[in-house]
Amino acid sequence: DNIILEIDHSMEELKELAYTAGATTVAMVVQNKEKVDNTFYVGKGKLEELRIIIQNSKANLVICNDELSSIQLKVMETYLGVKIIDRTSLILDIFARHAKTKEGKLQVELAQLRYRLPRLLGLGKVLSRTGGGIGTRGPGEKKLETDRRAIYKEINILENRIKSMKKIREQQKSKRKKNQVPIISLVGYTNAGKSTLFNLLTDSTVLSENKLFATLDATTRKFKDSDQEILLSDTVGFIDKLPHDLVKAFESTLEGVVESDLLLHVIDSSNENFLKQIQLVDEVLRSLKADHKKVMYIFNKVDKKCENFEEKYSTIRGIKAMISAKYEIGISELLGLIQKQIYGERLVKQISIPYEDMSI
Ligand code: GDP
């Protein structure tokens, strides 16, 4: 029924996320239980099943498709003898590697610290009751307190840095408005190739003659009052069922999307679920109220299109481009299309201004 389908989909996605993070999945285990076990997360029998799978496959990591408490994490780790992580820390790991701008990186760091904080608490007692093996004892209360304070301090510093970056961003925003510098945002499901394309388009050696793009990184880029300049911003955070904390954490990176003149929706043509991924990204855009923006669908990784690609591709309506960011295929055509979108519209705007003036 529906619930099972949902679990299937969610587990499939977890597998793909794990792959993105560099792990190979050897087994997927689903627990059919109404309630999550507060201590063990899964039931005892399931835990034993997992232990045997781990023993046979020599797996060295278990990823749980939930957010786990510190107790559940530690108890499972002790029982299974391998590293346990949950969905949130897996996603944080992926974001940490994919965040490109300074602000994005700081936001991931902040989210990681916030995630760690409640997981520092009170481990020692619980573990000693389970008979804890070597290296499983939690730190003493004093050590915990010091750790906690250090994290709070670090969080505070990060928050302040992000705040001042936001201020700079606001200032730049009004400057950009004045100078009419167009902004383009890359959106797209994780692993679609946004960063690769971002790097390619902002790499001055590749595009030295046609340096259209500057990055939106608040601290490093310089403003050039030129009509040929377009700002390109990178976004993190497009993933199905993004844990609630993380939605909040990445809100401001996604804010840029709303201010954009054009969205480049990057799609992984090699993934047979790319239509579903397009849908998910569109949902995020809707929730940001950015679904009315002008969008270009960029089908990336055309060097390894999935099966039945053409059939699926033809169901997408709108402006489309086929490229390979990695192998630099179709890039000049893409730039042409982007220019047409941006400057074509601008010319129309410029012409319409005197007309309006005359009509007053
Ligand atoms: P992001 O999560 O959307 O920023 O994706 P990345 O830019 O990090 O790319 C994810 C993976 O896809 C990386 O391993 C890239 O090397 C790979 N990739 C990007 N573009 C292409 C492409 O055109 N063809 C192929 N085969 N791989 C690509």
Side-chain angles (χ1 to χ4, degrees):
D1 54 21
N2 266 344
I3 296 171
I4 298 291
L5 278 180
E6 229 166 73
I7 289 174
D8 273 357
H9 168 70
S10 177
M11 288 295 279
E12 270 307 317
E13 192 190 48
L14 192 70
K15 185 177 165 185
E16 268 179 39
L17 290 174
Y19 178 75
T20 304
T24 312
T25 304
V26 290
M28 295 206 272
V29 179
V30 176
Q31 166 91 82
N32 251 329
K33 229 176 162 193
E34 292 217 336
K35 241 182 105 228
V36 170
D37 190 296
N38 278 341
T39 311
F40 294 100
Y41 175 56
V42 289
K44 267 259 170 81
K46 213 30 102 176
L47 207 58
E48 183 54 21
E49 187 185 323
L50 259 175
R51 199 186 59 77
I52 291 166
I53 290 174
I54 290 167
Q55 208 172 36
N56 293 340
S57 64
K58 303 217 162 29
N60 52 11
L61 179 70
V62 171
I63 305 170
C64 300
N65 199 13
D66 267 312
E67 269 199 55
L68 300 193
S69 71
S70 56
I71 294 171
Q72 289 167 330
L73 274 171
K74 270 294 160 195
V75 169
M76 280 183 85
E77 215 158 73
T78 311
Y79 192 93
L80 298 174
V82 291
K83 193 172 173 191
I84 316 281
I85 63 170
D86 63 9
R87 188 182 175 87
T88 307
S89 50
L90 175 67
I91 291 173
L92 280 173
D93 184 88
I94 294 171
F95 284 180
R97 274 197 255 171
H98 286 234
K100 275 288 171 301
T101 61
K102 273 218 174 80
E103 193 173 354
K105 280 183 186 152
L106 289 180
Q107 268 172 340
V108 176
E109 224 176 290
L110 183 62
Q112 279 173 327
L113 286 173
R114 287 202 177 123
Y115 170 82
R116 260 175 60 199
L117 199 56
R119 286 167 180 80
L120 278 180
L121 312 176
L123 294 182
K125 279 178 202 135
V126 179
L127 284 170
S128 52
R129 245 197 285 130
T130 65
I134 300 156
T136 57
R137 228 165 285 272
E141 278 305 313
K142 205 165 175 191
K143 170 91 171 40
L144 269 178
E145 193 46 43
T146 329
D147 288 353
R148 216 173 296 159
R149 249 186 254 144
I151 291 186
Y152 270 126
K153 204 168 150 193
E154 191 71 13
I155 285 180
N156 211 300
I157 293 171
L158 284 179
E159 278 174 346
N160 283 333
R161 283 178 67 188
I162 291 172
K163 219 185 272 169
S164 60
M165 282 186 158
K166 204 170 169 176
K167 216 183 254 168
I168 296 173
R169 206 149 42 90
E170 291 292 321
Q171 287 165 0
Q172 288 186 330
K173 197 165 96 184
S174 51
K175 222 173 186 176
R176 272 199 306 273
K177 271 219 174 103
K178 217 169 83 200
N179 297 338
Q180 288 202 318
V181 179
I183 306 176
I184 296 179
S185 282
L186 287 174
V187 298
Y189 201 79
T190 298
N191 212 41
K194 295 184 296 298
S195 309
T196 312
L197 184 61
F198 181 84
N199 289 340
L200 182 67
L201 294 181
T202 53
D203 183 352
S204 51
T205 58
V206 178
L207 297 166
S208 49
E209 290 140 58
N210 193 2
K211 197 167 181 301
L212 272 177
F213 297 96
T215 70
L216 198 52
D217 208 323
T219 51
T220 56
R221 65 164 300 289
K222 282 210 173 62
F223 240 90
K224 250 211 233 125
D225 195 354
S226 145
D227 235 16
Q228 271 297 309
E229 193 171 42
I230 296 175
L231 279 180
L232 186 66
S233 95
D234 189 20
T235 49
V236 282
F238 287 94
I239 243 171
D240 191 13
K241 299 203 191 73
L242 191 64
H244 185 74
D245 288 358
L246 298 190
V247 176
K248 196 94 201 97
F250 296 108
E251 234 166 33
S252 77
T253 349
L254 293 173
E255 257 172 30
V257 170
V258 186
E259 294 154 14
S260 303
D261 300 286
L262 175 67
L263 304 180
L264 304 184
H265 186 156
V266 184
I267 297 146
D268 181 352
S269 313
S270 72
N271 190 310
E272 55 181 65
N273 290 324
F274 76 78
L275 286 179
K276 172 87 189 154
Q277 297 183 338
I278 291 175
Q279 244 178 25
L280 288 166
V281 172
D282 283 343
E283 268 165 40
V284 178
L285 291 177
R286 250 197 306 282
S287 71
L288 290 169
K289 301 204 169 36
D291 50 331
H292 60 283
K293 295 270 169 200
K294 194 184 267 187
V295 181
M296 256 173 76
Y297 293 96
I298 300 181
F299 291 85
N300 187 33
K301 309 195 190 180
V302 290
D303 53 290
K304 53 171 196 177
K305 289 182 268 192
C306 66
E307 245 178 81
N308 301 327
F309 170 80
E310 267 74 21
E311 202 180 299
K312 291 173 187 163
Y313 170 86
S314 66
T315 63
I316 299 296
R317 294 277 152 85
I319 310 159
K320 299 189 272 192
M322 291 224 250
I323 66 154
S324 166
K326 190 173 175 180
Y327 300 108
E328 299 177 23
I329 302 168
I331 303 301
S332 56
E333 289 88 344
L334 174 67
L335 287 173
L337 266 177
I338 292 172
Q339 266 172 315
K340 203 169 130 196
Q341 287 307 312
I342 293 286
Y343 297 113
E345 189 191 54
R346 265 200 166 188
L347 277 177
V348 174
K349 260 193 205 156
Q350 274 165 9
I351 293 164
S352 71
I353 292 166
Y355 177 74
E356 275 175 27
D357 278 352
M358 276 165 22
S359 68
I360 293 169

